[in-house]
Amino acid sequence: MTTTTHTTGTAPRTTPHTPPSGGPADDERLRRWRLVLGGDSAESTGRALTGRDAAMDTALSALYGDGGRPGARGRTGRPAGLGASAPSVARWLGDIRTYFPSSVVQVMQRDAIDRLGLAALLLEPEMLEAVEADVHLVGTLLSLNKAMPETTKETARAVVRAVVEDLEKRLAPRTRATLTGALDRSAKTDRPRHRDIDWDRTIRANLRNYLPEHGTVVPERLIGHGRAARSVKKDVILCVDQSGSMAASVVYASVFGAVLASMRTLRTRLVVFDTAVADLTDQLDDPVDVLFGTQLGGGTDINRALAYCQSRITRPADTVVVLISDLYEGGIRDEMLKRVAAMKASGVQFVTLLALSDEGAPAYDRDHAAALGALGAPAFACTPDLFPEVMAAAIEKRPLPVPDKEAGH
């Protein structure tokens, strides 16, 4: 079969000179032509799209249908264009990362900026101010990071910084207060030196030993404060999946990472991963730098990321590892589970969060979640407000406050 290729805007279109005939191979050919040609012009193929193919077609129509004009109707009757809605852009970016390879995604992102007015949205301060500047918008800006010109990046950084500073103001005080209390409690000792005795707690613990004839309590059990108040008490490793579906979690994890790193009694490490692993610990003093150091999208290799984290553990009994991922593993599943089991056996407190956001659990690999739960590392979604309590429980080695609806997943 010979073909002629032509271009509409920046979207490549190929038209067959001779229609394919019947047979399995031709059915696959019809499917491909239907995806290439779009709606009405491909009706003669007689090939209906369902499932993943229909989703791919929707993503293509949003960008290339009817010239990609915002609000226009595509040839399939679906709304074409993405408009200026940051949440819809974020969803679309997530869709194209799901259905197309990285090289195609980069082309589509550049086309979206050119065809749908996203450049104006990102370049004009007035446009950005008209949009709700929230975690979704930050995820969108980070997803488009590679396609931005330098002038756009400066505007984007200003918006990201405003959102991050707002999150820090909301989340930092409670996080520090909750974790400071947990660290103090975890440092209590039953064999304190005299000057380290916590008399209030000691008296309460020994009230049954009160001697009324002497008007005193016999302290059989002494409770005291640990002496390492200014030393590092716990090591925390945040291991964050930076695939496109985890954009909001990456934003929150970066903010929490900066808050934890500011506490002298914690040694915090931030590791982000897709199929590669990046240690962003040296950037934790500025979460905006952390966010622009991530590369949203790509595959996922949890096993490789955990191998790196495992290699950085020097005090297992005083280490908390927090894996934030939807658990769609592209690496070696059995090795991943063995690493988790080995870390837990060594004394590491291991926490698995399917998401760190206000949106609930995303789509996630239920088999992997169940396998981790069987190892004593239940996987659940966590809101930013609950995260300090989760960390406090891990530090004190208490049962995690798993939301009931997520328990057992």
Side-chain angles (χ1 to χ4, degrees):
M1 179 181 72
T2 59
T3 61
T4 300
T5 302
H6 61 88
T7 302
T8 301
T10 54
R13 297 293 187 196
T14 308
T15 303
H17 280 189
T18 58
S21 56
D26 288 336
D27 184 67
E28 174 61 16
R29 206 173 290 122
L30 282 171
R31 168 186 169 273
R32 290 173 177 270
W33 280 119
R34 172 63 182 80
L35 285 168
V36 168
L37 295 173
D40 295 340
S41 61
E43 291 304 318
S44 61
T45 65
R47 184 62 160 81
L49 298 179
T50 59
R52 185 182 180 89
D53 288 346
M56 292 172 66
D57 191 52
T58 298
L60 288 166
S61 292
L63 178 56
Y64 300 117
D66 276 1
R69 294 191 303 274
R73 304 291 295 184
R75 289 170 296 186
T76 60
R78 289 184 295 268
L82 302 176
S85 166
S88 68
V89 173
R91 286 192 295 271
W92 179 78
L93 289 168
D95 287 344
I96 64 174
R97 285 191 295 271
T98 299
Y99 300 121
F100 301 98
S102 178
S103 58
V104 175
V105 168
Q106 292 179 18
V107 172
M108 293 180 74
Q109 288 182 168
R110 287 194 294 269
D111 286 352
I113 290 177
D114 292 339
R115 295 167 63 87
L116 303 180
L118 296 186
L121 175 67
L122 299 175
L123 284 170
E124 296 295 332
E126 296 80 4
M127 292 286 288
L128 282 171
E129 290 170 3
V131 177
E132 184 70 24
D134 58 9
V135 172
H136 296 289
L137 180 60
V138 171
T140 300
L141 296 175
L142 298 177
S143 297
L144 294 170
N145 186 19
K146 284 188 174 181
M148 292 181 193
E150 288 302 317
T151 52
T152 302
K153 286 184 179 181
E154 290 305 312
T155 305
R157 285 183 72 92
V159 173
V160 171
R161 185 169 297 282
V163 173
V164 165
E165 289 177 351
D166 181 67
L167 290 175
E168 282 188 303
K169 288 177 183 177
R170 177 166 70 88
L171 300 173
R174 182 166 174 267
T175 301
R176 291 193 182 99
T178 301
L179 296 190
T180 297
L183 289 162
D184 286 345
R185 290 188 295 273
S186 69
K188 302 296 183 186
T189 174
D190 290 334
R191 301 180 63 183
R193 300 181 184 184
H194 184 271
R195 62 182 175 180
D196 296 325
I197 294 174
D198 184 335
W199 288 108
D200 287 340
R201 286 171 58 88
T202 295
I203 292 171
R204 286 197 298 270
N206 291 278
L207 285 176
R208 64 181 180 178
N209 300 321
Y210 177 66
L211 301 178
E213 64 273 22
H214 297 289
T216 188
V217 171
V218 177
E220 291 182 351
R221 178 187 171 205
L222 297 176
I223 299 176
H225 301 283
R227 292 183 55 78
R230 294 184 178 274
S231 65
V232 173
K233 296 177 182 177
K234 295 287 181 178
D235 294 338
V236 175
I237 301 177
L238 300 178
C239 185
V240 186
D241 183 345
Q242 62 176 349
S243 59
S245 61
M246 302 298 293
S249 296
V250 171
V251 175
Y252 281 115
S254 299
V255 172
F256 277 117
V259 174
L260 299 181
S262 70
M263 300 178 65
R264 293 184 179 181
T265 50
L266 291 177
R267 180 185 294 114
T268 303
R269 183 178 295 274
L270 177 63
V271 176
V272 298
F273 67 93
D274 42 35
T275 53
V277 179
D279 191 327
L280 302 181
T281 303
D282 60 351
Q283 299 177 37
L284 274 175
D285 59 332
D286 188 345
V288 176
D289 286 342
V290 169
L291 289 172
F292 278 91
T294 62
Q295 305 292 334
L296 291 177
T300 308
D301 193 336
I302 303 172
N303 178 55
R304 175 177 289 186
L306 291 182
Y308 178 83
C309 294
Q310 191 176 24
S311 72
R312 295 300 184 269
I313 295 173
T314 57
R315 305 187 306 159
D318 293 315
T319 298
V320 178
V321 174
V322 182
L323 171 64
I324 304 175
S325 173
D326 55 16
L327 302 180
Y328 285 110
E329 172 65 316
I332 306 173
R333 177 185 187 273
D334 291 342
E335 287 297 319
M336 174 190 75
L337 296 175
K338 286 179 182 177
R339 290 189 191 283
V340 175
M343 281 189 272
K344 286 187 64 63
S346 70
V348 171
Q349 295 298 109
F350 195 93
V351 179
T352 309
L353 301 181
L354 301 170
L356 179 56
S357 71
D358 289 311
E359 301 171 335
Y364 63 95
D365 191 306
R366 293 180 179 271
D367 290 340
H368 287 161
L372 288 170
L375 294 174
F380 58 98
C382 177
T383 65
D385 288 335
L386 180 62
F387 184 73
E389 297 297 335
V390 170
M391 289 301 301
I395 286 170
E396 295 183 73
K397 301 185 178 181
R398 295 185 280 107
L400 300 178
V402 180
D404 290 340
K405 65 181 179 179
E406 299 293 347
H409 287 325

